[in-house]
Amino acid sequence: MAKETFVGEHHINPFGEIEVAPEVLEVISGIAANEVDGVYAMQGKFTSEVKSMFGRTSHNKGVHLVSDEEGLKVEVYCYFKYGVNVPKVALDIQQRIREQVYHMTEIELTEINIHIVGIVPEKTNLQELFELESEEDETE
């Protein structure tokens, strides 16, 4: 059997090359992070929130892939639910993303950095979250 090799984001096998687009890794990471108990929502621009209200969900919102000489890093920006153990939820997100990306693509990430944008109280509605994000957009 011919030997398979792995170079960067390319998987080379006897039949040809498999290339994984960075957006795919962002989507996998976004879905994995959303599945962790304690995550309220991922940070995204107001337009992506409006699109999701009409059935067009953007699973890579709040996730940014960075490639440098050390390897691939994922930056995750999310809101946590009030009352959760922040370090535990962040660690769960890191583990879940690492497992899912490797399971689906055989790509190992060098870092998974969790940025907690805010803590959301239980009674927060969607409109209040939009207002939070629009305030953040104005400060950038």
Side-chain angles (χ1 to χ4, degrees):
M1 183 171 167
K3 184 180 175 191
E4 294 185 11
T5 58
F6 181 74
V7 180
E9 297 168 46
H10 303 288
H11 191 74
I12 301 169
N13 63 49
F15 306 109
E17 183 178 312
I18 300 169
E19 183 176 326
V20 179
E23 294 82 16
V24 172
L25 298 176
E26 290 175 349
V27 168
I28 293 169
S29 299
I31 292 171
N34 268 316
E35 291 177 347
V36 173
D37 190 35
V39 174
Y40 180 83
M42 303 298 289
Q43 181 185 33
K45 299 295 181 203
F46 180 75
T47 53
S48 64
E49 294 294 336
V50 171
K51 285 180 187 175
S52 70
M53 286 173 47
F54 293 105
R56 297 182 63 204
T57 305
S58 175
H59 290 290
N60 67 337
K61 66 181 179 182
V63 178
H64 305 286
L65 189 67
V66 178
S67 180
D68 61 18
E69 63 277 349
E70 296 174 15
L72 290 173
K73 300 176 185 179
V74 174
E75 304 289 331
V76 179
Y77 298 84
C78 54
Y79 292 92
F80 282 8
K81 294 176 184 174
Y82 177 78
V84 299
N85 181 327
V86 172
K88 182 188 180 316
V89 173
L91 183 61
D92 290 348
I93 293 170
Q94 290 171 321
Q95 290 172 338
R96 180 86 176 149
I97 290 173
R98 185 175 307 282
E99 290 169 1
Q100 289 302 308
V101 168
Y102 185 78
H103 172 73
M104 295 177 77
T105 65
E106 294 185 4
I107 294 174
E108 291 193 29
L109 302 170
T110 56
E111 284 182 21
I112 302 165
N113 299 310
I114 309 300
H115 304 272
I116 303 157
V117 179
I119 303 292
V120 180
E122 292 178 26
K123 303 262 190 267
T124 302
N125 65 29
L126 194 57
Q127 183 59 37
E128 291 172 351
L129 190 58
F130 285 157
E131 290 168 4
L132 280 175
E133 287 203 3
S134 62
E135 288 172 10
E136 289 172 6
D137 292 341
E138 291 170 4
T139 59
E140 291 177 359

